[in-house]
Amino acid sequence: MEALNGKHKWLVTGCAGFIGSHLIEYLLKNNQTVVGVDNLATGFQKNIDDVLSQVKNPDFEFLKVDISKKEIFEVLQGKEFDYILHQGALGSVPRSIKDPLNSHQSNVDGFIHLLEIAREKRVKKFVYASSSSVYGDHPDLPKFEDKIGSVLSPYAATKKINEVYAGVYAHNYNLNSIGLRYFNVFGKRQDPDGAYAAVIPKWIAAFLKDEAVFINGDGETSRDFCYIKNVIQANIKSAISETKGHEVLNIACQAQTSLNELKDLLLNFLKEKGHDSKSEIEYRDFRAGDVRHSLANIDKAKKLIGYKPTHLIKEGLAEAIDWYIENVK
Ligand SMILES: NC(=O)c1ccc[n+]([C@@H]2O[C@H](COP(=O)([O-])OP(=O)(O)OC[C@H]3O[C@@H](n4cnc5c(N)ncnc54)[C@H](O)[C@@H]3O)[C@@H](O)[C@H]2O)c1
C-alpha cells in the first residue's frame, strides 16, 4: 500500500489487541503520531512491545483505560486527533452468549463514548470495526451491505447498534464515519489461547499437538477468511477517503473456504513445515449463534475507498504460518 502523506494524529482503540496492534504498527512505521487505548481485557502489553521493538523513535502514547467508563473522557482531555480507528471491543459470538452484559458494556457503551470523543475532537473520519455477524440470518450469498437479516447473537446485536449510532451521529452532528464489516480476520498476534480463540490458531495448536480437532457441524460451513494486511489497508483507505456521512463496507476477499477445506490447507502448510499431524478430526453439533455461510461482496469497498485485497487465504497463511507455529501452545 502507498505511504501516507504528511504527519497526522491518530487515536487507535483496542491497540493491544490483534487488529489494533497491526494498525499502530502500520501508522508508526509511516511516521504518524499515535495515541493507543486499551484496558487489556483480551489484548496484551506484549503486542504493543512487539510493535515498538520494530520502530525507531515511535511517536506513540499508550493509555490503559476502559472505554466503557466515563474516565475515557478525562484521559483524552486536551488531546487532538485527525482520525479515530476504533477497534476496542469484546469479540466472539460464544463469549457474548455467555455474558451479554459485558459485551454490551464494552461494545455499545464504549462505542458511544468514542462517538462523543470523535464529535468533540471534530475528527475528519471515524473508522470502526463492525462485523459480518450483522448479516445474521439473511440467506443471500454473497452478502451486500444493504441486505441484512435478524442478528443471531448479543455480539452481532452490539455491532448492529454501532452502525445505527454511527448513522445517527452522521445525521445529527455531521460526523463522517465508515463501519468496516470484517469477515474472519487472521494473522500474526491473533490470540491463540483461551476458550474464545478463533478457528485458525485453535486448529493449528491442536494439529501441532496431535490433539483432536473439532469441527462444528458437517464441515461445509464456510467463511470468507481475510488476512490482516487487507484489513489494515481498508482502515487507512477509509480514514483518508473523501466519503461523507456514514457508510458500511464489507472487508474480506470475496472468496469462500469451507471448514473442511481450511482443515486440509492447514494440514498441508504444517506438513511443508515438517509437522505431519496425527490429529483425529471429530465432527460435532453446530454451534449456537453461528451463521452457516459467510461470503462478502466487496464491490462497494472497491468503489468507495479503492480497497483491493492483496492477500487471499493461501497467501496470508504462507506469511503467518511461522508465527502461528512459534506462538500457539
Ligand atoms: N478478528 C476478527 O475476525 C473480527 C471479525 C469481525 C469484527 N472484529 C472486530 O474487530 C475489532 C478488533 O478485534 P480483534 O480481533 O483485534 O480482537 P482483540 O480481542 O485482539 O482486540 C480487541 C481489543 O479491544 C480491547 N478492549 C475490549 N474491551 C475494551 C474496553 N472496554 N476498553 C478498552 N479496550 C477494550 C481488548 O483488550 C483488545 O485488546 C473488534 O471490534 C472486533 O469485534 C474482529
Side-chain angles (χ1 to χ4, degrees):
M1 189 169 57
E2 66 277 15
L4 281 162
N5 272 334
K7 191 162 178 163
H8 305 281
K9 297 187 178 98
W10 301 74
L11 172 64
V12 179
T13 71
C15 68
F18 163 43
I19 297 172
S21 68
H22 280 273
L23 288 169
I24 62 171
E25 179 179 334
Y26 176 84
L27 292 170
L28 295 174
K29 285 182 175 171
N30 281 276
N31 194 33
Q32 302 294 300
T33 303
V34 183
V35 171
V37 301
D38 203 297
N39 66 349
L40 304 183
T42 58
F44 304 93
Q45 180 69 45
K46 69 172 192 265
N47 287 343
I48 298 174
D49 296 342
D50 183 30
V51 171
L52 296 182
S53 71
Q54 301 173 51
V55 188
K56 253 192 201 161
N57 302 320
D59 187 352
F60 178 67
E61 184 179 11
F62 172 52
L63 302 167
K64 184 170 179 281
V65 58
D66 185 335
I67 57 166
S68 72
K69 303 275 161 50
K70 292 261 169 61
E71 63 173 299
I72 184 71
F73 297 115
E74 288 153 38
V75 168
L76 296 177
Q77 208 169 23
K79 297 192 184 299
E80 287 174 16
F81 303 110
D82 299 307
Y83 305 105
I84 295 178
L85 305 178
H86 176 46
Q87 313 297 313
L90 286 177
S92 163
V93 163
R95 184 205 312 273
S96 76
I97 291 174
K98 201 163 174 220
D99 183 2
L101 195 58
N102 260 326
S103 290
H104 183 92
Q105 273 168 359
S106 282
N107 301 9
V108 179
D109 295 351
F111 189 82
I112 196 164
H113 290 166
L114 262 298
L115 281 177
E116 278 295 286
I117 288 159
R119 175 162 86 103
E120 182 206 317
K121 314 279 183 198
R122 297 174 183 277
V123 300
K124 292 182 187 136
K125 192 69 64 74
F126 178 77
V127 183
Y128 66 94
S130 184
S131 159
S132 59
S133 63
V134 167
Y135 289 103
D137 63 0
H138 198 284
D140 284 4
L141 278 186
K143 305 294 182 194
F144 286 87
E145 284 84 348
D146 56 352
K147 285 190 186 155
I148 58 174
S150 297
V151 291
L152 299 174
S153 67
Y155 172 74
T158 67
K159 294 294 179 179
K160 190 171 176 183
I161 293 168
N162 289 177
E163 294 184 359
V164 172
Y165 263 130
V168 166
Y169 270 64
H171 180 74
N172 288 279
Y173 311 117
N174 293 319
L175 175 65
N176 296 322
S177 60
I178 296 188
L180 301 174
R181 287 185 188 156
Y182 303 149
F183 284 62
N184 292 76
V185 189
F186 70 97
K188 71 173 184 178
R189 293 201 291 269
Q190 178 172 37
D191 187 6
D193 299 323
Y196 303 123
V199 59
I200 291 179
K202 195 152 62 183
W203 282 8
I204 291 176
F207 283 141
L208 288 174
K209 286 184 274 188
D210 294 332
E211 288 174 0
V213 161
F214 298 99
I215 297 187
N216 300 318
D218 59 2
E220 290 311 302
T221 295
S222 69
R223 294 289 179 265
D224 192 340
F225 291 99
C226 185
Y227 187 52
I228 184 69
K229 283 196 177 159
N230 303 327
V231 168
I232 303 313
Q233 181 201 137
N235 272 274
I236 303 302
K237 284 185 170 168
S238 293
I240 62 179
S241 69
E242 297 290 325
T243 63
K244 301 284 175 226
H246 174 240
E247 299 285 353
V248 289
L249 302 176
N250 288 339
I251 299 303
C253 291
Q254 203 162 325
Q256 218 167 353
T257 304
S258 73
L259 294 178
N260 285 326
E261 287 167 337
L262 176 68
K263 158 188 73 74
D264 293 338
L265 263 176
L266 294 179
L267 283 170
N268 285 338
F269 269 107
L270 292 174
K271 199 171 176 179
E272 277 173 23
K273 296 280 172 186
H275 301 273
D276 197 359
S277 180
K278 313 264 179 311
S279 292
E280 301 265 319
I281 309 297
E282 288 182 26
Y283 292 84
R284 60 184 182 189
D285 286 349
F286 286 96
R287 198 171 60 168
D290 272 349
V291 298
R292 179 73 165 139
H293 295 293
S294 184
L295 172 69
N297 176 287
I298 56 172
D299 290 350
K300 188 177 172 192
K302 282 182 176 168
K303 197 167 156 217
L304 216 60
I305 61 165
Y307 169 68
K308 194 168 175 236
T310 52
H311 293 67
L312 299 176
I313 184 168
K314 274 191 189 164
E315 290 135 0
L317 283 174
E319 261 195 31
I321 194 75
D322 288 336
W323 184 90
Y324 280 121
I325 291 172
E326 276 164 36
N327 289 276
V328 298
K329 290 189 193 95

